């Protein structure tokens, strides 16, 4: 999409439309069912509009953190998250970080605890969240082992294994973003964009 088109849209849009743009541009792969989940930060209280916009879609959100200025949300596809959490290797991995129940609610509550601990101490970011975002388990484990260093590629996530497969995924994510941006300019709501 042309930059001029997006700038013209943003200059004339309402705050509500700008929020749709923010969510759509950052969460396009989730909206287009290419990705399990996405983290998104937004001004405090805007999650109410997001709830309204996603009503009727298969996308849910969970507030991981909230302060007087910002909210950190996890937008996720319920069915895909359930499938992910049913995988034995994902459960074994998460159990290393204190996850002991694997229904969505329990996992998200534990992630919220881990994130709150990170905020209060500024140590031990919950890097295991990468698997909940749909990043390959091997890459998340290597990211943790290498402390974020020595990756082969760094785009949507840091890739340590199978870069050709990751590049194909990145191209699909880029295409989803282009599609969503085009739909935003045409006035689509988030639930209309969510396939």
């Amino acid at each position: 999409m042309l930059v001029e088109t997006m700038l013209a849209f943003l200059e004339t849009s309402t705050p509500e439309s700008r929020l749709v743009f923010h969510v759509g541009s950052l969460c396009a792969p989730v909206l287009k069912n290419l990705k399990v989940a996405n983290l998104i930060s937004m001004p405090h209280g805007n999650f109410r509009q997001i709830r309204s916009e996603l009503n009727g879609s298969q996308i849910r959100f969970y507030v991981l953190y909230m302060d007087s200025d910002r909210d950190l949300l996890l937008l996720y596809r319920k069915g895909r998250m359930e499938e992910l959490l049913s995988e034995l290797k994902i459960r074994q991995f998460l159990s290393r970080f204190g996850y002991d129940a694997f229904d969505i609610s329990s996992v998200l509550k534990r992630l919220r605890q881990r994130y709150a601990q990170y905020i209060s101490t500024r140590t031990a970011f919950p890097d295991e969240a990468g698997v909940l975002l749909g990043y390959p388990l091997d890459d998340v484990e290597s990211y943790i082992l290498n402390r974020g260093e020595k990756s082969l590629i760094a785009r949507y996530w840091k890739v340590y294994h199978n870069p050709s497969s990751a590049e194909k995924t990145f191209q699909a994510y880029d295409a989803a973003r282009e599609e969503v941006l085009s739909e935003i300019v045409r006035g689509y709501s988030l639930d209309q964009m969510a396939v």
Side-chain angles (χ1 to χ4, degrees):
M1 169 157 296
L2 292 175
V3 173
E4 295 83 14
T5 304
M6 288 311 309
L7 289 174
F9 169 79
L10 289 172
E11 285 177 7
T12 60
S13 63
T14 65
E16 293 80 12
S17 297
R18 282 192 290 280
L19 183 62
V20 169
F21 173 83
H22 177 68
V23 174
S25 64
L26 294 176
C27 299
V30 175
L31 292 171
K32 296 304 178 187
N33 202 17
L34 298 174
K35 193 168 184 270
V36 176
N38 220 94
L39 285 172
I40 185 165
S41 176
M42 62 182 52
H44 178 64
N46 283 338
F47 67 86
R48 290 176 187 88
Q49 181 186 342
I50 301 305
R51 177 185 300 133
S52 174
E53 286 273 341
L54 292 172
N55 192 21
S57 77
Q58 296 297 311
I59 299 173
R60 306 287 182 262
F61 74 88
Y62 187 81
V63 179
L64 282 180
Y65 181 76
M66 183 183 296
D67 65 22
S68 60
D69 296 322
R70 309 290 300 164
D71 298 338
L72 180 65
L73 307 181
L74 179 80
L75 269 69
Y76 67 94
R77 287 199 165 264
K78 184 177 184 250
R80 291 192 70 174
M81 185 66 77
E82 288 169 339
E83 289 173 23
L84 179 75
L85 295 175
S86 72
E87 294 179 31
L88 179 60
K89 61 185 179 179
I90 298 297
R91 290 177 175 212
Q92 290 170 335
F93 171 75
L94 289 173
S95 68
R96 296 179 0 212
F97 299 94
Y99 295 78
D100 56 9
F102 299 100
D103 58 283
I104 293 174
S105 178
S106 297
V107 167
L108 295 182
K109 284 178 187 173
R110 177 63 182 148
L111 181 59
R112 182 190 292 170
Q113 291 170 344
R114 298 259 302 139
Y115 191 79
Q117 180 183 12
Y118 162 71
I119 290 296
S120 66
T121 64
R122 288 296 177 197
T123 59
F125 184 85
D127 292 321
E128 74 276 6
V131 297
L132 301 176
L133 298 174
Y135 304 153
L137 178 58
D138 290 343
D139 285 337
V140 175
E141 289 178 319
S142 293
Y143 178 87
I144 293 168
L145 180 68
N146 291 289
R147 297 184 178 153
E149 301 295 323
K150 304 178 186 174
S151 65
L152 302 173
I153 304 170
R155 283 200 56 213
Y156 288 91
W157 72 87
K158 290 194 175 183
V159 176
Y160 293 85
H161 307 276
N162 206 348
S164 61
S165 176
E167 281 293 346
K168 289 177 185 171
T169 301
F170 296 160
Q171 290 172 6
Y173 288 2
D174 290 344
R177 177 170 282 134
E178 283 295 317
E179 182 180 355
V180 164
L181 291 175
S182 175
E183 290 172 344
I184 290 169
V185 169
R186 292 194 315 255
Y188 285 40
S189 63
L190 289 175
D191 67 332
Q192 290 172 320
M193 290 182 266
V195 297

